[in-house]
Amino acid sequence: MSRYTPGEVAQRTGLSLDTLRYYERIGLLDGIDRTPGGRREYSDDDLGWLEILRCLRETGMPIQRMRRFAELCRDDDTIAERIALLEQHDQSVREQIAMLQAQRAHLRRKIDYYRAL
Amino acid sequence: MSRYTPGEVAQRTGLSLDTLRYYERIGLLDGIDRTPGGRREYSDDDLGWLEILRCLRETGMPIQRMRRFAELCRDDDTIAERIALLEQHDQSVREQIAMLQAQRAHLRRKIDYYRAL
DNA sequence: CTGATACCTGGAGCGCGCTCCAGGTCAAGC
DNA sequence: GCTTGACCTGGAGCGCGCTCCAGGTATCAG
């Protein structure tokens, strides 16, 4: 049950302070605690959620869709929809990987061609 | 030795007419022939080059870097640099694939977790 | 010859995902 | 008590990679 300052969270997650605030503003991050003085204080749960956000973001999910997912996660009766959304995203990640692998083959061929000169 | 109108090229490559013109403007596409009336007329070579551009773009190479590559390709004595640039990019594509695969594992775990509820 | 359609140019505009800024507040160390 | 540095807010700005637009020209079918 540790608590973290914004600076610590930035360091741990690799997200900038501005990005953390931005995510909160647009509703990706919700109910972050504050100290009596008004500073943010992140919990372990918050860090866990940020991990998920990072995962979705790095795999190319648009912010709008992440907001949709965040919204679903605020309502307990949406497990099926969450699964559907994540499955759909997983499919898109698989496609991305396949595309990259195919294009990488082209790249290798081009390199080999140059090497043969 | 076929010749293609902009519309045909757009259809074949999946790039928009605007994107084709944009690529030309910024120096990714060079020396596209014109009809006497001033319309663009693409060659098979141009289509081949567009294939390469697509490959680089889809694998996330920034436009600036693609311009550098295009520049190198205009000079015959730059084979080594072209190889270096492509090898470097290939490395980045490998990293992208690895990252996606790792994040996809997280995604699968999350989905399984939801399914278990 | 006449439309209709595809294409031309230069330049402005846009959506995304942050990032930066000004002007202030809080808190820990001396 | 004072300094210093991390943090606060609201809002503007930015870099990327296109995309759209206005106003005009070429080409082709009938």
Side-chain angles (χ1 to χ4, degrees):
Chain A
M1 274 298 170
S2 299
R3 319 245 86 207
Y4 309 90
T5 66
E8 280 165 355
V9 174
Q11 208 151 28
R12 274 166 188 262
T13 61
L15 300 168
S16 73
L17 292 171
D18 270 316
T19 299
L20 287 171
R21 288 193 280 259
Y22 168 66
Y23 278 6
E24 204 173 330
R25 245 194 295 195
I26 64 172
L28 282 183
L29 232 49
D30 208 49
I32 301 297
D33 288 346
R34 299 291 182 126
T35 65
R39 272 87 195 288
R40 289 176 180 79
E41 214 179 24
Y42 297 83
S43 70
D44 282 315
D45 278 2
D46 296 331
L47 280 187
W49 177 242
L50 282 169
E51 274 300 301
I52 297 169
L53 293 184
R54 255 183 79 82
C55 172
L56 298 180
R57 196 66 207 85
E58 283 196 341
T59 49
M61 183 180 286
I63 295 277
Q64 278 304 324
R65 200 130 180 83
M66 289 170 65
R67 291 177 65 178
R68 173 69 184 146
F69 183 65
E71 190 190 323
L72 288 177
C73 288
R74 269 173 232 129
D75 176 353
D76 283 345
D77 306 331
T78 58
I79 303 298
E81 281 135 295
R82 292 185 219 171
I83 291 174
L85 189 151
L86 292 185
E87 281 286 11
Q88 206 173 325
H89 184 57
D90 180 58
Q91 172 65 23
S92 115
V93 175
R94 259 181 291 155
E95 283 165 10
Q96 271 186 80
I97 292 172
M99 180 274 282
L100 286 176
Q101 282 168 341
Q103 292 293 26
R104 180 158 179 254
H106 289 171
L107 212 50
R108 295 295 338 158
R109 256 185 277 126
K110 190 78 186 166
I111 291 171
D112 290 346
Y113 165 76
Y114 278 139
R115 283 211 198 288
L117 294 183
Chain B
M1 272 299 169
S2 300
R3 320 244 84 207
Y4 308 91
T5 66
E8 281 165 356
V9 174
Q11 207 150 30
R12 273 164 188 263
T13 62
L15 300 168
S16 73
L17 291 171
D18 271 317
T19 299
L20 288 171
R21 288 193 280 259
Y22 169 66
Y23 279 6
E24 205 174 327
R25 246 195 295 198
I26 65 172
L28 282 182
L29 232 47
D30 209 48
I32 301 297
D33 289 345
R34 299 293 181 123
T35 65
R39 271 88 196 285
R40 289 177 181 80
E41 213 180 24
Y42 297 83
S43 69
D44 283 315
D45 278 3
D46 295 331
L47 279 188
W49 176 243
L50 282 168
E51 274 300 300
I52 298 169
L53 292 184
R54 254 183 81 82
C55 171
L56 298 179
R57 196 68 209 85
E58 283 197 341
T59 49
M61 184 180 286
I63 294 277
Q64 278 303 324
R65 201 133 180 79
M66 289 171 64
R67 291 177 64 177
R68 173 70 184 143
F69 183 64
E71 191 190 322
L72 288 176
C73 288
R74 269 174 233 131
D75 176 353
D76 283 345
D77 306 331
T78 60
I79 304 298
E81 281 137 294
R82 291 185 220 172
I83 291 173
L85 190 151
L86 292 184
E87 281 286 11
Q88 206 173 326
H89 184 55
D90 180 58
Q91 172 65 21
S92 115
V93 175
R94 258 182 291 157
E95 284 165 11
Q96 272 187 77
I97 292 172
M99 181 273 282
L100 286 176
Q101 282 168 340
Q103 293 291 27
R104 179 155 181 256
H106 289 171
L107 212 50
R108 295 294 341 160
R109 256 186 277 127
K110 190 78 187 170
I111 291 172
D112 290 346
Y113 165 77
Y114 278 139
R115 284 212 197 286
L117 294 183

